[in-house]
Amino acid sequence: METKKKKNNKKKKKSAILVTQYTEWPSSDDSSDNDYIPMDDSDEEQLVLRKTKRQRVTEDKTPVVHFSHINAVPIDVWVEIFSRCVELEGALPFLVRASQVCRTWYEASKCPRLWQNIDLTYGWIKSVDSTLKWLSKNRLLQCKSLNLSGWKNLTAEGLRAVALNCPNLENLDISNTAKKLQNEGINAITQNCPKLSTINLLDCKSLEKNHVPLESLLANSSNSLTHLTFGGIVVQQQKINELFNTQLINCHNLEVLELINISCTRLNIDIEKFQISLRKLSKLAIIKCPLVSPKVTKLQMEESAGFPMLKHLSLSLSDKNSVLTETAHNILKRLLKNSHNLEILELDQFCKITPEVINYVTSDKLKFLQLSRNAIIQDVSLVQFSSTLESLDLSDIVPRHRVNELLSGLVQPPGSQLSRLDVSNSQISLEVLQLLLKTLQHMKYLNISYCRELPRGIKRLHIDKEIQDLRKRLL
């Protein structure tokens, strides 16, 4: 019985194989075709000869060339080639992938010169101290810029390894890190990295109600510090005001200062002291901070030198009561003193925009202006910026119909260079939009989302060629 079952199984397997019913392929007869021309015997012989010749050619195999001479290329040459790739694509993950190709590439990828600007925020790498310790000892000996943003498991040990092995470190980003960092880690960086010039401490939880690491930073790096980003945490009001008005003003080479979302009752900054000490300041951003400043006399304001090098000013306040509006106007006036080189002004959710606020801007180089989420008072005009302004943000202004007056006065003078415009959630009229499309030939970015006064189908973001299509549709 078992032998019969096996035979049946074998038969089933054979029947499962697909075979044709013909032992030979059926011949096709072309004589029925209209264009059929019978061949002579001589033609058949030529065809056979041609076929045999072609077969002989294909059978000849060309010798395989082995590129063994590539291995003789010096490692220094590969390092130079890799350096060009690093400039275009970044060090990571290029160097890691290149090291897995061959032994020569592995040796070339280890060159510390290639590991100067490192971004370790990628998700494919383990953000733990052991990784950072190995890299700092074996790869980052000449590292100048290191980004550790988002490393929740970063502790003082990992940061200490960087401090001891990277003496040339200039740029460090430890934003959005947890409390495990502790004081010792930042202290090790400030004491062992004398060239440190840029540091990002935004949302660094180890500084939560802890001023010691910031005090160490301002004390040890006062001469080299040029860029400082700080905020996103709750601070001790008395300590932070003392540090800013006594130690921060000693950083005479500071060029960029960003204070973002600092939680305290009052952030008291002596503007005139800052203007005397921070002469090189080119960017100042104070966003969502309870900013106040001690009152000064008119004589003190006149004697102040202002910020002559300031090119970028960003102010954003959440409270909009009348007292804060007066205070905000006073602060803005003092900050813009002698800022004749200002190119970017961002007043997002700042205060009521009055003609006096516009007159505070004395620069004739303003290229970017943001007045979003503000109350625009009547008689405000932007005509003085018509020849230089390239980007304008009037989104969410109140009252929403004020956008028509501002834009009409802005584009009336000839020679407007405006290329980016955001008027989303406003009551821009179809007539004003048509005027903009006719006048502004350099427009590359137009956001008219949530503009209810416009026809359906166009209330969205338009970029580049879409603006040309919009012109054909409306003009």
Side-chain angles (χ1 to χ4, degrees):
M1 291 295 290
E2 292 180 358
T3 56
K4 288 182 178 181
K5 288 182 180 180
K6 290 181 179 179
K7 289 180 180 180
N8 291 333
N9 291 335
K10 290 181 180 179
K11 288 180 180 180
K12 289 180 180 179
K13 289 180 180 179
K14 288 182 179 179
S15 62
I17 300 174
L18 181 63
V19 295
T20 59
Q21 297 177 356
Y22 303 98
T23 56
E24 295 181 358
W25 290 104
S27 60
S28 61
D29 188 7
D30 296 336
S31 61
S32 60
D33 296 342
N34 295 328
D35 57 348
Y36 172 72
I37 301 175
M39 288 194 306
D40 298 335
D41 295 338
S42 60
D43 296 335
E44 290 182 0
E45 290 178 0
Q46 291 179 2
L47 183 62
V48 171
L49 288 173
R50 287 175 185 172
K51 287 183 179 179
T52 55
K53 286 181 180 179
R54 288 176 183 174
Q55 289 177 357
R56 288 174 184 173
V57 172
T58 54
E59 287 177 358
D60 294 339
K61 295 183 180 180
T62 57
V64 179
V65 179
H66 296 282
F67 297 97
S68 58
H69 58 278
I70 292 182
N71 296 328
V73 176
I75 293 180
D76 294 341
V77 177
W78 286 118
V79 171
E80 187 64 27
I81 295 174
F82 287 176
S83 65
R84 304 293 177 88
C85 297
V86 168
E87 290 178 3
L88 296 175
E89 301 181 7
L92 298 176
F94 168 76
L95 292 177
V96 176
R97 293 171 178 172
S99 65
Q100 299 174 356
V101 174
C102 62
R103 185 68 183 178
T104 304
W105 283 27
Y106 171 76
E107 294 296 332
S109 65
K110 293 195 304 181
C111 180
R113 184 164 67 89
L114 302 174
W115 296 78
Q116 292 186 4
N117 301 311
I118 303 300
D119 186 355
L120 296 178
T121 59
Y122 295 102
W124 53 269
I125 192 169
K126 291 183 179 180
S127 55
V128 293
D129 286 342
S130 57
T131 303
L132 195 56
K133 288 180 181 179
W134 186 90
L135 285 173
S136 60
K137 292 179 180 179
N138 298 278
R139 298 289 186 272
L140 306 180
L141 300 177
Q142 296 183 18
C143 181
K144 294 182 179 180
S145 177
L146 181 61
N147 190 349
L148 300 175
S149 178
W151 277 48
K152 300 295 184 181
N153 297 320
L154 181 64
T155 66
E157 294 183 5
L159 210 55
R160 190 184 296 110
V162 173
L164 295 177
N165 295 281
C166 306
N168 296 322
L169 190 66
E170 298 176 1
N171 186 347
L172 178 64
D173 189 343
I174 51 175
S175 61
N176 195 21
T177 51
K179 290 185 178 180
K180 300 176 182 179
L181 200 58
Q182 299 176 354
N183 299 342
E184 293 79 4
I186 299 179
N187 291 341
I189 290 290
T190 57
Q191 293 174 4
N192 294 277
C193 302
K195 298 181 181 179
L196 185 67
S197 61
T198 302
I199 187 166
N200 188 344
L201 300 173
L202 188 64
D203 290 322
C204 185
K205 300 305 179 184
S206 62
L207 301 178
E208 191 86 32
K209 296 182 180 180
N210 180 16
H211 67 282
V212 177
L214 183 61
E215 183 179 6
S216 175
L217 171 67
L218 297 178
N220 296 320
S221 304
S222 59
N223 294 327
S224 61
L225 196 63
T226 60
H227 296 67
L228 174 62
T229 302
F230 177 79
I233 56 175
V234 180
V235 297
Q236 298 177 3
Q237 176 178 323
Q238 184 177 359
K239 294 292 184 181
I240 199 67
N241 290 332
E242 182 181 350
L243 284 175
F244 282 173
N245 293 299
T246 57
Q247 288 189 273
L248 183 60
I249 60 175
N250 293 326
C251 301
H252 302 294
N253 294 316
L254 196 66
E255 298 176 6
V256 176
L257 177 60
E258 295 176 312
L259 306 177
I260 303 172
N261 195 18
I262 296 178
S263 298
C264 62
T265 306
R266 288 185 177 183
L267 182 63
N268 195 336
I269 293 179
D270 195 330
I271 296 176
E272 280 65 33
K273 279 187 177 181
F274 272 52
Q275 291 172 338
I276 295 172
S277 301
L278 308 181
R279 302 286 295 171
K280 297 182 180 180
L281 197 66
S282 62
K283 179 181 178 181
L284 176 61
I286 304 177
I287 301 174
K288 293 184 180 180
C289 297
L291 178 63
V292 295
S293 185
K295 294 182 179 181
V296 295
T297 62
K298 291 183 179 180
L299 180 61
Q300 289 176 321
M301 288 182 61
E302 292 176 358
E303 292 178 350
S304 174
F307 291 118
M309 304 297 293
L310 191 65
K311 294 183 178 180
H312 186 169
L313 176 62
S314 179
L315 292 178
S316 175
L317 305 175
S318 57
D319 195 358
K320 292 188 177 181
N321 56 52
S322 58
V323 177
L324 185 58
T325 298
E326 296 177 1
T327 305
H329 284 191
N330 184 24
I331 291 174
L332 180 63
K333 181 180 180 180
R334 293 157 66 182
L335 289 175
L336 290 177
K337 178 113 187 296
N338 291 335
S339 299
H340 302 300
N341 295 312
L342 191 69
E343 297 180 358
I344 300 174
L345 178 59
E346 297 173 330
L347 301 177
D348 179 32
Q349 199 173 352
F350 175 64
C351 63
K352 292 181 180 179
I353 305 299
T354 63
E356 290 77 17
V357 171
I358 301 300
N359 292 331
Y360 294 154
V361 183
T362 58
S363 173
D364 57 354
K365 302 177 183 179
L366 193 67
K367 297 180 180 180
F368 181 95
L369 178 61
Q370 181 180 8
L371 300 177
S372 57
R373 297 190 292 178
N374 288 308
I376 308 295
I377 305 300
Q378 195 173 3
D379 298 330
V380 171
S381 175
L382 305 178
V383 177
Q384 65 187 82
F385 312 124
S386 59
S387 61
T388 60
L389 206 59
E390 298 177 0
S391 179
L392 178 61
D393 188 349
L394 297 175
S395 59
D396 296 288
I397 63 171
V398 179
R400 295 193 296 168
H401 64 82
R402 194 76 71 199
V403 67
N404 295 311
E405 301 174 10
L406 295 172
L407 293 176
S408 299
L410 181 64
V411 299
Q412 288 298 334
S416 177
Q417 301 296 320
L418 196 64
S419 60
R420 294 177 61 89
L421 178 63
D422 189 348
V423 289
S424 58
N425 197 20
S426 68
Q427 290 183 353
I428 183 173
S429 64
L430 180 60
E431 293 76 13
V432 173
L433 180 59
Q434 291 174 337
L435 176 62
L436 294 175
L437 294 175
K438 287 180 181 179
T439 309
L440 305 177
Q441 298 298 325
H442 304 286
M443 187 69 68
K444 296 181 180 179
Y445 178 99
L446 177 62
N447 191 352
I448 50 177
S449 305
Y450 307 106
C451 296
R452 296 183 179 180
E453 302 298 321
L454 299 179
R456 291 184 178 181
I458 65 172
K459 294 179 283 189
R460 57 183 178 85
L461 174 63
H462 299 265
I463 300 176
D464 294 334
K465 294 182 179 180
E466 298 175 351
I467 298 178
Q468 298 178 5
D469 297 336
L470 186 63
R471 283 196 181 98
K472 294 178 182 179
R473 180 174 179 178
L474 297 181
L475 301 179

